[in-house]
C-alpha cells in the first residue's frame, strides 16, 4: 500500500512505490476493505486523514496525495463496526457516498446476461459460440449464489469445460456445497422452526420438481 525503500528489509532489492503513490492524481479502488486487518485499517485511516504517505524506511520523506478512493465491501460495514471488526472512524471517513449492489440471487435477469458474457469471453476466435440450455436456467435461478459473481464465473467455467456440443445443460452444472436452492415456500416453515415439515416438503415436492426439470425423473415420481 505505502511502498518501501531499498534494503529496508531482506527482500527489498529496489525502491518501491506503493499503490497510493501510483494512483496519485487518479482513482484508487480498495477491494474488500472489510477484510483489512485492524493494523491496516489504522494505517489507511492515517493516510486518508493526512493526505500524505511515507514509504517504509523513509519516514522523513512525505509525499502529498491527491486522489479519489473507491472501496468495496462484501459485508455491511455498520454491522462490522458493531461487531468490533471494523473501525467506526474509518467507516465514516470512506462513506462519502454509498451504493448498495444487490446480491446475485436477487438479480436473475442480470445473472443470465453475465453468464452469456462469460461464455463469450471463454470462446476462442475460431470456435462457435456456447450457450445455456433452457433446462440449465431453472436450477441457476433457484440457487443462492453465496459467492455472487465470482462463484457464477467459476460455475460457468466448469460447465463449459465438460458440456457437449457447446451447450451447457442442467447436468453440466456443479454448485458449491455451501450453497443452497431457494425455496419459495421455505420462509414460513423456517420461521416456525418446523424443520420436519420443511424436510418433508423438500422430499415430496421440491426435489422431484427440480429433478424433473433436469430430465432425471418424471414430475409425478
Amino acid at each position: 500500500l505505502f511502498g518501501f525503500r531499498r534494503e529496508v528489509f531482506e527482500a527489498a532489492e529496489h525502491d518501491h512505490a506503493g499503490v497510493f503513490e501510483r494512483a496519485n492524481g487518479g482513482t484508487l479502488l480498495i477491494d474488500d476493505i472489510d477484510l483489512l486487518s485492524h493494523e491496516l485499517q489504522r494505517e489507511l485511516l492515517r493516510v486518508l486523514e493526512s493526505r500524505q504517505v511515507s514509504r517504509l524506511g523513509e519516514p522523513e520523506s512525505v509525499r502529498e496525495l491527491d486522489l479519489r478512493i473507491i472501496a468495496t465491501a462484501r459485508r455491511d460495514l455498520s454491522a462490522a463496526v458493531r461487531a468490533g471488526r471494523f473501525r467506526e472512524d474509518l467507516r465514516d471517513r470512506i462513506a462519502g457516498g454509498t451504493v448498495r449492489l444487490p446480491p446475485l440471487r436477487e438479480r436473475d435477469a442480470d445473472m443470465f446476461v453475465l453468464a452469456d458474457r462469460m461464455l463469450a469471453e471463454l470462446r476462442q476466435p475460431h470456435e462457435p459460440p456456447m450457450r445455456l440450455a433452457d433446462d440449465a436456467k431453472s436450477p441457476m435461478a433457484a440457487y443462492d449464489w453465496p459467492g455472487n459473481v465470482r462463484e457464477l464465473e467459476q460455475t460457468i467455467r466448469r460447465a463449459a469445460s465438460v458440456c457437449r456440443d457447446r451447450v451447457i445443460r442442467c447436468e453440466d452444472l456443479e454448485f458449491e456445497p455451501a450453497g443452497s436452492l431457494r425455496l419459495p415456500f421455505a420462509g414460513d416453515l423456517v420461521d416456525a422452526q418446523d424443520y420436519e415439515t420443511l424436510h418433508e416438503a423438500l422430499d415430496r415436492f421440491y426435489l422431484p420438481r427440480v429433478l424433473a426439470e433436469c430430465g432425471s425423473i418424471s414430475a409425478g415420481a
Side-chain angles (χ1 to χ4, degrees), residues 104-116:
L104 192 61
R105 61 179 174 270
E106 297 178 12
R107 297 179 288 149
D108 289 352
D110 290 350
M111 178 199 331
F112 298 122
V113 172
L114 288 168
D116 289 340

Side-chain angles (χ1 to χ4, degrees), residues 14-73:
H14 53 78
D15 291 346
H16 178 75
V19 294
F20 279 96
E21 282 187 65
R22 300 202 297 272
N24 203 18
T27 301
L28 174 62
L29 171 65
I30 303 177
D31 198 16
D32 292 337
I33 195 172
D34 54 313
L35 301 182
L36 289 182
S37 67
H38 280 281
E39 180 181 359
L40 278 178
Q41 290 178 35
R42 175 173 52 82
E43 292 297 323
L44 177 58
L45 179 63
R46 177 184 59 79
V47 170
L48 294 180
E49 290 184 335
S50 68
R51 299 179 182 270
Q52 296 176 334
V53 67
S54 298
R55 295 183 185 180
L56 181 64
E58 292 183 350
E60 72 287 348
S61 179
V62 176
R63 292 168 170 83
E64 300 292 332
L65 295 176
D66 179 16
L67 73 164
R68 178 189 297 109
I69 300 289
I70 298 176
T72 70

Side-chain angles (χ1 to χ4, degrees), residues 170-186:
C170 178
E171 62 265 24
D172 301 319
L173 297 173
E174 179 184 345
F175 299 115
E176 294 295 333
S180 61
L181 292 176
R182 281 176 284 149
L183 309 180
F185 50 77

Side-chain angles (χ1 to χ4, degrees), residues 183-195 197-198:
L183 309 180
F185 50 77
D188 295 338
L189 296 175
V190 173
D191 291 341
Q193 299 293 301
D194 192 355
Y195 293 107
T197 304
L198 174 59

